[in-house]
Amino acid sequence: MTRTHTTIFILVAAVALVLGLTVNKVLSSKGQGDPAALLDAGIVLLPQPRTLPALTMTNQDGETVALDQLKDDWTLLFFGYTFCPDICPATLAQLRQLKSQLPEVTRERLRIVLVSVDPHRDTPQQLKKYLGYFDAGFQGLTGEEASLQKLANAVSIPYIPADTSKENYTVDHSGNLVILGPDGTQRGFIRAPINNAKLAEQLPGLVSGS
């Protein structure tokens, strides 16, 4: 097993452990809908909200955004990149479809944000162009590698920075989504692969339960 494969294995195992440790506590949670149905839909809620680090990033319009500005609405963070050959376009296409399956009141309270794990290539202009292929309402964030790593680690979605000296390099990253509540704290995860039919049933109750 190569060093890269070993690192990937360790990261995946760490995320699995975090998710696994929350299951029993989630089953006893109140006011968030049916816990068993949420888990069946891939929604794993944390036993306690998790505060995000105080970081500043740049959005798809080139504007400075502090993470604590991600408030008032619910947010789904997806860590990916615009040159991703498979998981990113597939996930964003699914999220576009998911939006169409949600009631209008839920759509209005849910933002979807792509956090780039490839700041070397993902300029704000590139993010905006790419996200426009899927949904004009999707938002993007990029920033310094250190800030992106700090955020990814804080929400337990680690990734492995790429060797940018290689032509057509790819970035190893998770397909899980991070759920942020309207107070800007992390409430949980949505496990990949996402199931639109089940999420469309469970997200309205989760969002309205805030």
Side-chain angles (χ1 to χ4, degrees):
M1 182 178 292
T2 65
R3 177 179 177 276
T4 297
H5 289 155
T6 301
T7 304
I8 294 173
F9 176 80
I10 292 172
L11 292 177
V12 170
V15 172
L17 177 61
V18 170
L19 295 178
L21 289 174
T22 66
V23 170
N24 288 336
K25 293 184 179 180
V26 168
L27 289 174
S28 63
S29 64
K30 305 293 183 182
Q32 300 285 2
D34 178 9
L38 289 171
L39 287 172
D40 183 57
I43 298 174
V44 180
L45 299 180
L46 297 174
Q48 297 293 334
R50 183 183 294 171
T51 302
L52 301 187
L55 296 172
T56 299
M57 296 189 175
T58 304
N59 70 10
Q60 76 282 358
D61 294 318
E63 300 168 339
T64 299
V65 176
L67 288 184
D68 61 10
Q69 292 178 242
L70 297 177
K71 293 182 178 180
D72 302 324
D73 294 321
W74 288 78
T75 303
L76 298 183
L77 294 183
F78 174 56
F79 287 75
Y81 64 111
T82 65
F83 289 84
C84 179
D86 40 40
I87 187 173
C88 297
T91 299
L92 290 171
Q94 281 186 282
L95 290 173
R96 175 183 59 195
Q97 181 182 10
L98 175 62
K99 281 186 60 179
S100 70
Q101 296 174 241
L102 295 171
E104 183 177 358
V105 66
T106 303
R107 289 199 304 270
E108 291 177 348
R109 297 200 61 199
L110 187 68
R111 69 167 66 90
I112 294 172
V113 180
L114 172 66
V115 180
S116 174
V117 295
D118 183 17
H120 180 70
R121 292 180 295 197
D122 283 345
T123 63
Q125 295 81 3
Q126 173 65 17
L127 279 173
K128 187 169 186 175
K129 178 180 178 181
Y130 183 75
L131 292 171
Y133 295 141
F134 298 96
D135 190 300
F138 286 0
Q139 300 177 32
L141 290 176
T142 187
E144 298 293 331
E145 185 72 66
S147 296
L148 294 168
Q149 281 274 1
K150 187 173 183 178
L151 174 59
N153 291 333
V155 296
S156 299
I157 306 287
Y159 68 95
I160 302 175
D163 180 356
T164 59
S165 66
K166 295 182 179 179
E167 186 177 2
N168 299 321
Y169 62 84
T170 57
V171 186
D172 293 318
H173 65 94
S174 169
N176 291 341
L177 307 179
V178 175
I179 303 172
L180 302 183
D183 60 355
T185 64
Q186 182 185 6
R187 300 293 185 85
F189 305 88
I190 296 178
R191 295 179 299 196
I194 63 177
N195 185 314
N196 277 3
K198 293 181 178 180
L199 287 175
E201 291 181 358
Q202 298 304 318
L203 283 176
L206 179 65
V207 170
S208 65
S210 64

